[in-house]
């Protein structure tokens, strides 16, 4: 590798392009597996002979470990080297993807998905951290923009690629696709990306907090997913109570530890707390929507997997094209209006999905029923997502921006996790509902207003409480609020103290 040290690389240089390529490939792996899986669910259920609960776990096992461990993954990178932890995450993720691709049954697939989430928790914060640590301060905004745009392309084409793979070589290739991506990413990272770390990172890792948080989420998720099939059984009630108890223990531990994973002091900012509550509402609605809509399009409307993925594409394309402009608008007029209007527009899009039913897979049906819904949802998300990310960063001091972004990312993942677990229960969706078009359509009609209601709640909270941040930090030091599709990717501290290692080659 060249001799350019971390923190001095220019985007226009060959080395800069290698760094951008590496981080985009790494983050794209994690994004693809969160966007393509929904269109594959009906085929997975059919091939493995599973019920709806197993499909929920196929989505949630990944989200569970990712949400529970992503803050710890970022801390590991700061301590032991961002490149090193990123590389470990890529290898881990690719290995778990192979296990998903060869899974003989639902139990193995779910376990492998949980392992994927651990890899994602290592590489997701590391991808953007490497951008922030590697580039010259004058080039960081441009590098982040490139990373955001190129990663957004990967997220946008995810449902299309997933549908094509499911209808072509099979759903297993949705996971096996990560192997060639990792095969390119690893040697480039080891050869061309400089190592960086925070020499001031100290104290013990909050492993206890991470374990308690993940277990609390797991038990609550188990209770919600299994309740439709088991009812108020001892296992369901015990899991629910255990999750609440462990959640309380998590809060107690975080308050008492000298170096907590989730410092309670960061919530002293009222705006930070409020924006994270809005994040919970928005991403819970999105998690439930994308989980159920992909099944609705295939089981009820008669789309193929490729057709369903293509039908949902306008939402992500709109976000890819206009999120940066939305972020700039939010900076000019303040976050209150975008965070109020955006969720309302998105809620209207979700309610329009109620028009999607048998016959919507025709050309005329798509343009009259599906496209207005996904288009309006996309406009709403364009309006809200980038200002939401920017407001999170603006609501805390510059030195804590990385922590704030990481917490917001974890909140978004946890919200989607709970929504996927809870919506089928709340909508009365039975274990075999996804096999019956009539039954699934009936429960879908009950679920979409719930998702829209969450967005309306988030809008009301924004209107009542959000104000333009003032005096939190020097605005020139803040990163441009770029945002890729449905990500909320954790940003690293804005001005980390770095230590270049002597060996820039493979560790």
């Amino acid at each position: 590798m060249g001799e350019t040290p971390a923190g001095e690389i220019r985007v226009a240089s060959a080395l800069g392009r290698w760094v951008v390529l590496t981080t985009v490939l790494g983050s794209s792996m994690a994004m693809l597996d969160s966007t393509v899986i929904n269109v594959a669910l009906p085929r997975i259920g059919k091939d493995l002979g599973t019920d709806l609960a197993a499909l929920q776990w196929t989505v949630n096992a990944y989200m569970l470990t990712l949400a529970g461990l992503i803050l710890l993954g970022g801390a590991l990178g700061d301590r032991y080297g961002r490149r090193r932890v990123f590389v470990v995450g890529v290898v881990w993720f690719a290995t778990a993807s192979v296990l998903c691709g060869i899974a003989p049954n639902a139990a193995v697939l779910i376990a492998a998905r949980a392992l994927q989430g651990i890899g994602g928790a290592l590489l997701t914060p590391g991808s953007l951290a490497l951008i922030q640590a590697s580039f010259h301060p004058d080039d960081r905004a441009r590098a982040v923009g490139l990373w955001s745009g190129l990663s957004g392309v990967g997220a946008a084409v995810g449902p299309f690629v997933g549908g094509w793979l499911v209808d072509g070589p099979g759903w297993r290739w949705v996971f096996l696709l990560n192997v060639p991506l990792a095969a390119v990413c690893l040697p480039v990272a080891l050869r061309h990306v400089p190592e960086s770390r925070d020499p001031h990172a100290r104290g013990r890792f909050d492993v206890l907090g991470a374990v308690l948080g993940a277990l609390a989420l797991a038990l609550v998720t188990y209770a919600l997913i299994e309740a439709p099939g088991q009812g108020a059984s001892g296992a369901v009630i015990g899991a629910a109570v255990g999750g609440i108890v462990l959640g309380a223990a998590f809060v107690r531990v975080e308050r008492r530890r000298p170096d907590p994973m989730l410092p309670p002091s960061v919530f002293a900012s009222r705006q930070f707390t409020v924006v994270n509550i809005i994040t919970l509402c928005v991403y819970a609605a999105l998690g439930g929507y994308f989980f159920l809509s992909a099944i609705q399009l295939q089981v009820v409307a008669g789309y193929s997997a490729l057709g369903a993925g293509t039908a949902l594409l306008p939402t992500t394309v709109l976000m890819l094209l206009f999120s940066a402009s939305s972020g700039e608008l939010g900076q000019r007029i303040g976050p209150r209006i975008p965070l109020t209007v955006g969720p309302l527009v998105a809620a209207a899009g979700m309610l329009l999905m109620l028009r999607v039913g048998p016959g919507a897979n025709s050309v005329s049906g798509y343009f009259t029923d599906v496209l207005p819904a996904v288009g309006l949802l996309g406009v709403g998300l364009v309006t809200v997502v980038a200002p939401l990310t920017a407001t999170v960063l603006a609501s805390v001091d510059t030195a804590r921006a990385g922590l704030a972004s990481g917490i917001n990312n974890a909140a978004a993942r946890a919200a989607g996790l709970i929504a996927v677990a809870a919506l089928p229960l709340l909508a009365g969706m039975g274990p075999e509902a996804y096999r019956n078009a009539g039954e699934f359509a009936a429960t879908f009609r009950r679920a979409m207003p719930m998702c829209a209601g969450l967005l309306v709640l988030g809008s009301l909270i924004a209107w009542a409480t959000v104000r333009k941040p003032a005096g939190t930090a020097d605005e020139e030091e803040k990163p441009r609020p770029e945002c890729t599709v449905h990500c909320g990717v954790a940003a690293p501290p804005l001005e980390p103290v770095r230590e270049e290692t002597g060996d820039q080659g493979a560790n």
Side-chain angles (χ1 to χ4, degrees):
M1 197 189 79
E3 297 180 356
T4 307
E8 298 297 331
I9 297 174
R10 293 289 186 171
V11 171
S13 67
L15 185 58
R17 291 191 289 271
W18 282 119
V19 174
V20 171
L21 173 64
T22 305
T23 55
V24 167
L25 286 174
S27 60
S28 294
M29 290 170 58
M31 288 182 192
L32 280 171
D33 271 54
S34 62
T35 58
V36 307
I37 186 64
N38 290 327
V39 298
L41 290 175
R43 194 67 58 84
I44 291 174
K46 180 179 179 181
D47 288 355
L48 299 183
T50 63
D51 58 11
L52 181 65
L55 299 185
Q56 289 172 274
W57 276 116
T58 300
V59 174
N60 277 350
Y62 176 78
M63 299 297 292
L64 176 64
T65 50
L66 180 59
L69 300 176
I70 195 166
L71 288 176
L72 184 61
L76 288 170
D78 288 341
R79 178 77 64 85
Y80 295 117
R82 298 177 179 107
R83 184 188 66 179
R84 177 179 296 164
V85 173
F86 175 82
V87 166
V88 171
V90 170
V91 173
W92 189 302
F93 197 91
T95 303
S97 297
V98 172
L99 294 178
C100 290
I102 64 175
N105 53 53
V108 174
L109 177 60
I110 291 167
R113 286 283 286 168
L115 291 175
Q116 263 193 324
I118 297 174
L122 296 175
L123 69 87
T124 299
S127 60
L128 191 52
L130 285 172
I131 289 280
Q132 193 73 17
S134 299
F135 285 95
H136 189 280
D138 294 342
D139 278 12
R140 283 177 194 155
R142 184 182 175 194
V144 170
L146 284 171
W147 176 87
S148 229
L150 293 172
S151 297
V153 171
V157 303
F160 176 83
V161 172
W164 177 76
L165 290 172
V166 170
D167 287 342
W171 62 265
R172 296 180 184 275
W173 283 94
V174 168
F175 304 108
L176 297 176
L177 178 64
N178 292 317
V179 176
L181 292 178
V184 176
C185 183
L186 281 174
V188 175
L190 294 172
R191 172 64 178 164
H192 297 285
V193 178
E195 183 61 282
S196 65
R197 58 172 57 86
D198 182 1
H200 296 285
R202 59 188 180 275
R204 294 182 299 174
F205 290 112
D206 188 10
V207 176
L208 178 60
V211 170
L212 287 174
L215 286 178
L217 279 175
L219 289 175
V220 170
T221 301
Y222 175 86
L224 292 171
I225 290 177
E226 298 301 325
Q230 298 185 26
S233 65
V236 169
I237 294 175
V241 173
I244 294 172
V245 170
L246 289 179
F250 170 76
V251 173
R252 184 179 179 88
V253 167
E254 297 304 283
R255 284 180 174 177
R256 295 193 169 192
R257 284 186 65 92
D259 49 358
M261 177 182 72
L262 187 66
S265 60
V266 75
F267 293 98
S269 167
R270 177 174 175 269
Q271 181 121 306
F272 177 78
T273 303
V274 166
V275 172
N276 275 287
I277 293 173
I278 297 170
T279 297
L280 290 172
C281 294
V282 170
Y283 280 90
L286 288 178
Y289 166 82
F290 282 105
F291 174 70
L292 296 177
S293 292
I295 301 177
Q296 173 79 359
L297 286 170
Q298 294 177 71
V299 173
V300 178
Y303 280 78
S304 65
L306 176 59
T310 306
L312 297 172
L313 201 57
T315 298
T316 51
V317 170
L318 285 171
M319 291 192 67
L320 174 64
L321 294 177
F322 299 111
S323 283
S325 299
S326 173
E328 293 171 358
L329 177 64
Q331 283 186 317
R332 288 199 302 270
I333 68 175
R336 188 186 188 194
I337 292 177
L339 297 189
T340 300
V341 174
L344 292 178
V345 175
M350 288 187 181
L351 291 177
L352 282 180
M353 281 296 293
L354 296 174
R355 294 165 52 90
V356 176
N361 62 338
S362 66
V363 174
S364 61
Y366 177 76
F367 282 101
T368 58
D369 297 337
V370 181
L371 184 58
V374 298
L376 198 58
L377 176 65
V379 171
L381 295 183
V382 164
T383 305
V384 70
V385 170
L388 189 68
T389 305
T391 307
V392 166
L393 294 174
S395 62
V396 298
D397 292 335
T398 300
R400 308 191 86 177
L403 173 66
S405 184
I407 292 172
N408 188 250
N409 181 39
R413 308 282 185 177
L417 166 74
I418 296 299
V420 171
L423 266 179
L425 171 64
L426 296 175
M429 197 173 293
E432 302 297 324
Y434 81 97
R435 301 181 189 274
N436 185 296
E439 183 181 352
F440 191 88
T443 53
F444 183 82
R445 287 194 293 269
R446 292 193 288 268
M448 280 302 100
M450 296 178 190
C451 293
L454 285 170
L455 289 169
V456 172
L457 177 60
S459 173
L460 294 174
I461 293 172
W463 177 254
T465 61
V466 171
R467 299 294 181 268
K468 188 173 183 178
T472 56
D474 183 356
E475 289 298 319
E476 293 184 357
E477 293 184 13
K478 290 190 178 296
R480 184 179 178 183
E482 304 282 354
C483 182
T484 55
V485 181
H486 313 145
C487 61
V489 175
L494 297 178
E495 293 293 341
V497 181
R498 300 177 190 87
E499 176 185 50
E500 181 192 357
T501 60
D503 179 16
Q504 300 293 348
N507 281 340

